[in-house]
Amino acid sequence: MEPVFDWKQTFEQLAPQLVLYARQLVDSKADAEDVVQQAFVRWWRRFPEGDSAHIPLLYAAVRTIALDQRRSDHRRVNREAKSEIAVAGENTPTFDPLPEQKEAAAIVEKALQALPEDQREVVTLKLWGDLTFNEIAAMTGDSINTVAGRYRYALQALHKKLAHLKVDLLGSSTAPAVNIIPFSTPTQALS
């Protein structure tokens, strides 16, 4: 008998990464959570037997739903602005850091938000989504060289923006640094 796909475990494992990715594309964490839920429902309907090989399609669904929602929200805001209805924005943080990491997370988030959207998207998908450059290229419709270039330029920009804060963010260089990126070495991040 073939093992049954564990949807609950898959959701628990992937949802935080997907919410982080969706958060880069929509205005609030609540919207990002809604996008992820819609993407999982879409994925479940399309592949009810479940298959881990289809996870990149889940990221593509999150991207499509988030971009559709963002366009819809912008149209709504424009309609409401024309009718003089006030719209309150939401400034929730993208990351949900531990209390001792809040300051560092805010600085990293600000640096990440300063990147061009296409670079920010590739960094989020690569580092937190754990997708390969091939999967990102297939999802975005860009060439693998374009995706890799965006990633490289984004990392260079982040390094340039955050290098002078390294000691402040991570403490003295003699103490082991807290790894805020899910890789133990820089070469793992680039693979």
Side-chain angles (χ1 to χ4, degrees):
M1 183 170 172
E2 197 172 306
V4 178
F5 190 77
D6 190 348
W7 286 99
K8 183 178 180 180
Q9 179 186 3
T10 303
F11 180 81
E12 289 172 356
Q13 184 180 21
L14 294 176
Q17 299 165 355
L18 291 166
V19 168
L20 179 65
Y21 173 53
R23 185 66 182 94
Q24 305 301 312
L25 302 170
V26 296
D27 293 331
S28 71
K29 185 175 181 183
D31 288 345
E33 290 169 346
D34 290 345
V35 164
V36 169
Q37 183 176 0
Q38 290 174 32
F40 260 96
V41 169
R42 188 180 288 181
W43 190 39
W44 173 75
R45 285 183 179 152
R46 185 148 184 222
F47 305 105
E49 71 285 352
D51 187 350
S52 296
H54 294 133
I55 290 174
L57 295 176
L58 183 59
Y59 278 91
V62 166
R63 182 176 193 257
T64 300
I65 294 167
L67 293 176
D68 287 347
Q69 182 172 332
R70 185 169 66 181
R71 280 190 293 271
S72 175
D73 288 348
H74 286 290
R75 285 191 300 266
R76 179 184 49 79
V77 167
N78 288 337
R79 272 193 317 273
E80 290 173 353
K82 288 178 183 174
S83 66
E84 299 180 16
I85 296 175
V87 178
E90 206 178 305
N91 278 334
T92 58
T94 302
F95 297 107
D96 192 14
L98 298 172
E100 63 272 9
Q101 295 176 331
K102 283 194 184 285
E103 184 180 350
I107 293 168
V108 171
E109 179 180 2
K110 185 177 179 182
L112 188 62
Q113 292 298 328
L115 293 174
E117 185 176 341
D118 55 355
Q119 291 179 11
R120 186 173 61 240
E121 179 180 28
V122 170
V123 167
T124 304
L125 289 170
K126 179 70 174 154
L127 296 181
W128 288 280
D130 201 28
L131 296 181
T132 66
F133 289 140
N134 282 333
E135 292 167 336
I136 297 169
M139 189 182 87
T140 61
D142 296 318
S143 75
I144 191 168
N145 290 334
T146 300
V147 169
R150 287 177 182 160
Y151 181 74
R152 185 178 66 249
Y153 292 136
L155 290 183
Q156 288 171 348
L158 289 172
H159 177 73
K160 198 178 288 186
K161 289 179 187 202
L162 299 173
H164 70 285
L165 299 172
K166 184 176 180 180
V167 173
D168 292 338
L169 288 173
L170 303 176
S172 70
S173 58
T174 58
V178 176
N179 188 3
I180 60 172
I181 298 178
F183 301 103
S184 58
T185 66
T187 53
Q188 281 185 318
L190 297 174
S191 63

